[in-house]
Amino acid sequence: MIIHRTTSSPGWWLSGAVLLALAWWGKPLVLSDQFENHFYGLFYYSILAGMALFWALPSEQRFANGIFERRTMLLGLITLRTLSAPASAFSEIRLEQDPNLFRKDTIWLMVCSQKADDEQSGQVERFAFANWPATARNLATAQATAAALSQASGLPVITAETRAE
């Protein structure tokens, strides 16, 4: 079984700590005697609640017994929703690099299939398995994960260099 969890990232835990710090920092807005502060406090905490909702629902991707699966979990513990597809629905594993303007590029580990009826249009069905910031260490991790997925699923790994040839 190959698993990629969002909750295993230090960034997920750090953002949770930042949300707690922001909740503590906004307490004077709610504890004030002025109506304006209560209004701003309500607005502030409603935005914070929305951010906490997105934070509390991390995803987990895994491959086991010939099935690719994405699970949305509550705090990484309780499964709320599961999407799955058999490995036979896909034809290749791709490592793609997505350019970013304001931070490091992103490396995506995608499981793709070329639909038979859409070959002329070039539409590809994709399952995003994992992503990392583009560093040398993360590239090595992505390549190792792609190789492990390839061996477990029997799908070939296609890189940008392979596609160019």
Side-chain angles (χ1 to χ4, degrees):
M1 180 181 312
I2 301 168
I3 298 176
H4 180 77
R5 288 188 172 102
T6 303
T7 56
S8 63
S9 164
W12 188 79
W13 292 100
L14 181 64
S15 61
V18 167
L19 285 172
L20 283 175
L22 287 172
W24 180 78
W25 184 75
K27 278 176 43 177
L29 290 173
V30 178
L31 299 177
S32 173
D33 291 336
Q34 294 181 349
F35 175 73
E36 293 86 9
N37 287 350
H38 289 283
F39 174 76
Y40 293 129
L42 178 66
F43 180 68
Y44 178 82
Y45 277 105
S46 63
I47 290 174
L48 202 58
M51 291 171 28
L53 178 68
F54 281 109
W55 175 83
L57 298 173
S59 65
E60 170 184 282
Q61 290 75 239
R62 66 183 184 164
F63 178 77
N65 301 324
I67 295 177
F68 287 99
E69 191 173 77
R70 174 175 291 115
R71 301 185 321 167
T72 302
M73 320 233 346
L74 179 62
L75 298 173
L77 302 171
I78 302 168
T79 303
L80 299 178
R81 185 178 120 183
T82 302
L83 299 172
S84 61
S88 60
F90 301 102
S91 59
E92 63 192 24
I93 297 170
R94 292 186 187 175
L95 281 174
E96 299 177 353
Q97 188 164 337
D98 186 24
N100 291 316
L101 289 175
F102 301 109
R103 59 186 175 108
K104 289 186 169 87
D105 292 354
T106 304
I107 300 169
W108 290 91
L109 177 57
M110 308 289 279
V111 184
C112 304
S113 75
Q114 189 93 21
K115 292 184 177 180
D117 55 332
D118 290 335
E119 283 182 9
Q120 294 169 344
S121 68
Q123 239 182 358
V124 176
E125 189 173 318
R126 303 166 136 205
F127 180 88
F129 192 82
N131 68 330
W132 299 270
T135 62
R137 188 181 73 175
N138 287 342
L139 181 58
T141 302
Q143 290 170 337
T145 306
L149 269 179
S150 177
Q151 187 171 11
S153 67
L155 300 173
V157 177
I158 307 295
T159 60
E161 295 83 26
T162 311
R163 259 183 269 138
E165 295 172 3

